[in-house]
Amino acid sequence: MNKYETRNDVPLKYKWDLTDIFKNIDDFNKTADEVREEIKKIDSYIGCTKNSDKLLEFLEFDTNLSLKIVDLNIYAMLINDQDLNESLGVELVGKINTLELEYDTKSSFFSPELLSLGKNDYNDLFKNEKLLKYKSILDDIYRYKNHILEKNEEELCSRLTGTSSSYSQMSSTLLNSCNDYGSVTMPDGSVEKLMTTNYRRIVKKLPRDKRKEVYEQFNEVKDRYANISAGLLDDYVKTNVALSKIHKYDSTWDENLFDLELSNKVFESLIASAIDTKDILKKYYDLRSKVLKIDKCAPWDAQIELYETDKEYTIEEACDLVLKALKPLGEDYVNHFKHVIEDRCVDFCQYKGKCSGGYNISSPDIKNSKILMSFNYDLQSVSTLAHESGHHVHHQYLCENNIKEYRHAPSIIAEVASLTNEFLLSNYLINNGSREEALSGLSNILGTFEVNFYGGIQEGNLEQEFYKYVEDGGTLTKDYLYDLCEKSLLKFYPNEIQSKYEKGAWITRSHYYMFYYLFSYSICISVASYVSKEILSGNKEMLDKYISFLKTGSDHSVSDVYKVLGIDLENKNIYLDAIDNFSSLIDKFDEIYNK
């Protein structure tokens, strides 16, 4: 296993290639300067909604301009995340935030102007058939008629909230770069610097008493600065609450439902299914306790796989394993996966200063997404590669089958592509390996389901609760969030609280800076469970539907995209079916383990 102190130590083949976004910093700066000049032209389009030709001209101009800003944003973010110790990334992010604020302010005239049109005048615009390609976008804006302010008010909102993304960045920098978590003496006598990016790998190699010690060491540092973390989250939430009220929503949750065009019944069904099946979760924890030979699972055991194996995977082995696992999706899908690796779309390795976690980020005008991860040479790292490459292939299909304006999938759809890949990876390990590999595969998917389904629902509901609290006049403090987190854990999980640090799980949840993102995992893993089960059973019709699902662009609503798969998200059965599958996989593990 290779260890790297700095980014300079990492071989080029394991780093992402960003030259398809910008060739270098000079190219980035040149484009930023061009964008700054183009933003000045926006004023010339004020009043464009009164003339269909002028409107068409503006939409084409704005599409090209906004995509340049997306590319600038992505590049700045990637440069920053690849090394948080360097000031260059911070400078680039700050520069683009300023540029984006200017763009948002200048272009804020458009929505109020479009919405000032009566229904007949609005419909008359589409007598110009060239505008029809933008109809879905314009219709989506027009349905916000009751929630868009006057031009000067929208401009003021843009100026006041243009730096809201900095809260997430400050939280990430605090956790990943500023905090010193100390060092850990490993069983072989070596000493490792403890970081957010290697915490999981380190604790998995420690005996239980040492795991508890390192768990407390790591979390004591996070707890030390929890007041700062709470303050950042409070500012972010209050910004969203203020904007929601200004735009005439009853609540932020109401705004979220309106954005998604979904009813609250979807989420009521989801939450009820988790609360009603705590016994299945207990069944899983009882199995963990049995296999790990402990009386009761504790938070310092959370990183330990149900079935521990010392098997390590090189990056090349991980890529080959994922490729084999994805073969049930067909040759075309596999070729799209190969593209991810061959074009150096993944930034694999970890070192101090690199942003922790894993993600895939994409631009509508660039086919190659970029994947960040912290490869730890274990099965979890292989699973992360399968997960994020699912997003990448999904983006490739969107690019190939939609115009630039519709190459986007909201998170509540996008996570199906990533989690389906994880089910397929585990299925391959179960059916194409030794007993040890089968148990490792089952262990992986059971852990993935628990975190994404039960964890996503618990944390999504917690997010609902702290938004309500702020909307009622409260302030998010460390003590309030610790207390809320404790109540939430007891509501959804069968185990009692065993450490005060369990209540601080909210500190490292970066998804709380993504405005009601977490429920997406729960919905998507339920759908992924169903889709993968059908495809693996040989259902060719479902395979065809799934590939069509991946190709369907954002000119379709969330509900309509799921109709491609024949799924109604309000139907509780889709969630109960996923839980039944989870339960059957627990039984399958127990059966193989006892043999």
Side-chain angles (χ1 to χ4, degrees):
M1 180 180 70
N2 294 318
K3 297 178 184 178
Y4 305 103
E5 294 295 323
T6 69
R7 183 168 185 79
N8 291 333
D9 299 331
V10 179
L12 184 66
K13 64 181 179 178
Y14 298 148
K15 298 178 185 178
W16 50 30
D17 178 11
L18 303 183
T19 58
D20 55 346
I21 308 176
F22 294 106
K23 295 177 183 177
N24 48 43
I25 299 298
D26 289 340
D27 189 26
F28 171 91
N29 288 327
K30 179 183 176 183
T31 301
D33 291 340
E34 291 172 354
V35 166
R36 187 175 292 106
E37 291 303 311
E38 289 180 21
I39 288 174
K40 296 176 183 178
K41 300 176 184 177
I42 293 177
D43 286 344
S44 67
Y45 290 101
I46 293 175
C48 66
T49 56
K50 297 175 182 177
N51 180 286
S52 63
D53 290 330
K54 190 68 173 177
L55 175 58
L56 178 64
E57 183 184 326
F58 170 70
L59 291 172
E60 291 174 343
F61 165 82
D62 186 63
T63 296
N64 291 328
L65 176 57
S66 61
L67 288 178
K68 287 180 182 178
I69 293 174
V70 168
D71 293 346
L72 288 167
N73 252 320
I74 289 175
Y75 189 82
M77 173 184 168
L78 298 178
I79 292 294
N80 187 59
D81 284 355
Q82 71 185 21
D83 199 336
L84 296 168
N85 290 320
E86 295 291 331
S87 61
L88 175 62
V90 177
E91 292 172 7
L92 297 184
V93 169
K95 183 175 185 177
I96 300 311
N97 282 345
T98 301
L99 202 60
E100 188 171 27
L101 173 58
E102 188 63 24
Y103 166 78
D104 289 342
T105 302
K106 287 281 189 181
S107 60
S108 62
F109 82 90
F110 182 70
S111 292
E113 188 176 297
L114 183 71
L115 296 177
S116 68
L117 297 176
K119 192 68 176 176
N120 290 336
D121 289 336
Y122 175 74
N123 289 332
D124 283 345
L125 290 172
F126 299 101
K127 291 178 180 178
N128 183 343
E129 293 185 357
K130 292 181 180 179
L131 271 176
L132 289 175
K133 81 171 192 175
Y134 294 104
K135 191 174 189 306
S136 179
I137 294 172
L138 296 174
D139 283 351
D140 198 49
I141 295 173
Y142 201 74
R143 76 182 183 89
Y144 282 82
K145 191 173 179 67
N146 296 328
H147 300 289
I148 298 294
L149 310 176
E150 296 297 324
K151 174 184 177 298
N152 62 329
E153 294 173 320
E154 286 293 345
E155 184 175 324
L156 181 61
C157 285
S158 295
R159 289 195 177 277
L160 291 176
T161 61
T163 58
S164 61
S165 62
S166 63
Y167 298 125
S168 173
Q169 184 58 49
M170 286 187 285
S171 175
S172 176
T173 300
L174 174 66
L175 292 170
N176 299 312
S177 184
C178 295
N179 287 353
D180 184 352
Y181 300 101
S183 300
V184 178
T185 301
M186 303 301 289
D188 63 0
S190 63
V191 177
E192 288 207 38
K193 186 76 173 174
L194 187 60
M195 301 177 284
T196 53
T197 52
N198 67 2
Y199 171 80
R200 178 190 295 270
R201 176 178 59 80
I202 285 177
V203 296
K204 285 169 65 173
K205 295 181 178 295
L206 301 175
R208 195 171 190 232
D209 57 342
K210 183 68 173 179
R211 281 204 303 272
K212 180 179 180 181
E213 179 185 319
V214 172
Y215 169 84
E216 292 177 343
Q217 172 185 330
F218 183 73
N219 283 281
E220 189 278 327
V221 176
K222 291 195 301 180
D223 178 72
R224 196 184 306 161
Y225 302 104
N227 284 321
I228 297 174
S229 298
L232 292 171
L233 185 58
D234 181 63
D235 284 346
Y236 174 79
V237 169
K238 282 180 174 173
T239 297
N240 287 331
V241 169
L243 285 172
S244 184
K245 288 180 179 178
I246 289 169
H247 288 102
K248 304 171 189 175
Y249 293 99
D250 291 337
S251 65
T252 53
W253 182 246
D254 224 32
E255 179 181 1
N256 182 51
L257 293 176
F258 187 85
D259 288 344
L260 295 173
E261 296 183 82
L262 292 175
S263 74
N264 196 46
K265 185 178 178 181
V266 172
F267 301 92
E268 289 174 342
S269 297
L270 187 67
I271 292 170
S273 67
I275 293 174
D276 293 346
T277 57
K278 285 171 70 173
D279 59 322
I280 304 298
L281 196 53
K282 184 178 186 302
K283 176 181 173 182
Y284 173 64
Y285 287 143
D286 288 345
L287 178 66
R288 282 182 59 82
S289 297
K290 167 187 166 183
V291 174
L292 298 177
K293 297 179 173 58
I294 55 179
D295 293 335
K296 187 182 297 181
C297 289
W300 42 91
D301 302 315
Q303 307 300 331
I304 305 302
E305 295 173 5
L306 174 59
Y307 187 80
E308 291 189 76
T309 174
D310 294 328
K311 183 174 177 58
E312 293 186 352
Y313 299 85
T314 65
I315 291 174
E316 288 75 16
E317 287 171 338
C319 294
D320 184 60
L321 180 54
V322 174
L323 184 149
K324 291 176 180 175
L326 300 181
K327 284 187 176 180
L329 296 178
E331 184 179 357
D332 185 61
Y333 190 99
V334 168
N335 288 335
H336 280 74
F337 170 74
K338 290 178 181 177
H339 182 73
V340 179
I341 307 304
E342 292 167 356
D343 278 24
R344 284 180 46 218
C345 298
V346 187
D347 205 74
F348 284 100
C349 304
Q350 62 169 276
Y351 43 85
K352 183 170 175 57
K354 183 177 179 179
C355 181
S356 60
Y359 62 70
N360 175 87
I361 189 166
S362 55
S363 167
D365 64 340
I366 299 174
K367 189 173 180 179
N368 279 349
S369 299
K370 304 302 172 189
I371 295 173
L372 177 139
M373 63 182 298
S374 298
F375 196 85
N376 280 315
Y377 304 93
D378 56 6
L379 185 60
Q380 184 61 46
S381 297
V382 182
S383 182
T384 299
L385 178 61
H387 181 104
E388 301 302 343
S389 64
H391 288 307
H392 195 303
V393 174
H394 188 187
H395 179 68
Q396 289 182 58
Y397 277 124
L398 289 174
C399 286
E400 293 166 359
N401 294 277
N402 300 274
I403 60 175
K404 291 180 181 181
E405 289 79 4
Y406 303 120
R407 296 172 180 173
H408 169 69
S411 59
I412 200 168
I413 291 170
E415 295 300 335
V416 173
S418 55
L419 293 166
T420 296
N421 279 11
E422 293 204 56
F423 274 102
L424 293 174
L425 172 63
S426 292
N427 176 77
Y428 180 83
L429 291 168
I430 292 166
N431 293 293
N432 295 276
S434 63
R435 173 179 178 274
E436 180 183 61
E437 288 170 323
L439 290 173
S440 296
L442 280 163
S443 169
N444 182 65
I445 199 59
L446 288 170
T448 298
F449 187 90
E450 184 231 347
V451 168
N452 286 280
F453 185 81
Y454 289 101
I457 293 172
Q458 178 262 316
E459 292 174 323
N461 183 247
L462 185 143
E463 185 175 14
Q464 285 181 311
E465 293 298 323
F466 66 62
Y467 265 99
K468 286 180 187 174
Y469 181 71
V470 171
E471 286 164 347
D472 290 338
T475 294
L476 302 186
T477 63
K478 168 188 171 180
D479 290 341
Y480 166 78
L481 288 167
Y482 267 48
D483 182 60
L484 179 65
C485 193
E486 179 179 17
K487 291 175 181 175
S488 179
L489 289 170
L490 293 173
K491 178 179 179 180
F492 287 94
Y493 285 86
N495 295 342
E496 69 271 20
I497 303 296
Q498 297 184 62
S499 167
K500 64 178 182 179
Y501 295 125
E502 282 185 84
K503 300 180 286 184
W506 56 271
I507 297 173
T508 51
R509 211 50 165 135
S510 61
H511 294 84
Y512 287 140
Y513 291 99
M514 299 171 74
F515 194 61
Y516 292 120
Y517 184 92
L518 285 154
F519 280 125
S520 299
Y521 287 112
S522 309
I523 289 173
C524 290
I525 199 164
S526 301
V527 175
S529 170
Y530 170 71
V531 168
S532 59
K533 186 172 66 172
E534 290 296 308
I535 290 173
L536 290 168
S537 71
N539 187 335
K540 179 66 166 56
E541 182 182 359
M542 177 54 71
L543 175 58
D544 291 340
K545 286 181 178 179
Y546 181 61
I547 299 301
S548 295
F549 168 85
L550 297 179
K551 294 177 179 179
T552 304
S554 52
D555 51 338
H556 293 69
S557 70
V558 171
S559 295
D560 284 345
V561 176
Y562 275 112
K563 284 177 183 176
V564 175
L565 292 173
I567 287 174
D568 175 8
L569 295 181
E570 290 187 2
N571 190 335
K572 192 176 179 181
N573 288 336
I574 191 69
Y575 313 120
L576 295 178
D577 180 81
I579 294 166
D580 285 344
N581 191 29
F582 178 57
S583 181
S584 68
L585 290 172
I586 294 172
D587 294 337
K588 182 72 172 176
F589 183 99
D590 204 25
E591 175 190 342
I592 297 174
Y593 182 76
N594 289 328
K595 286 182 180 179

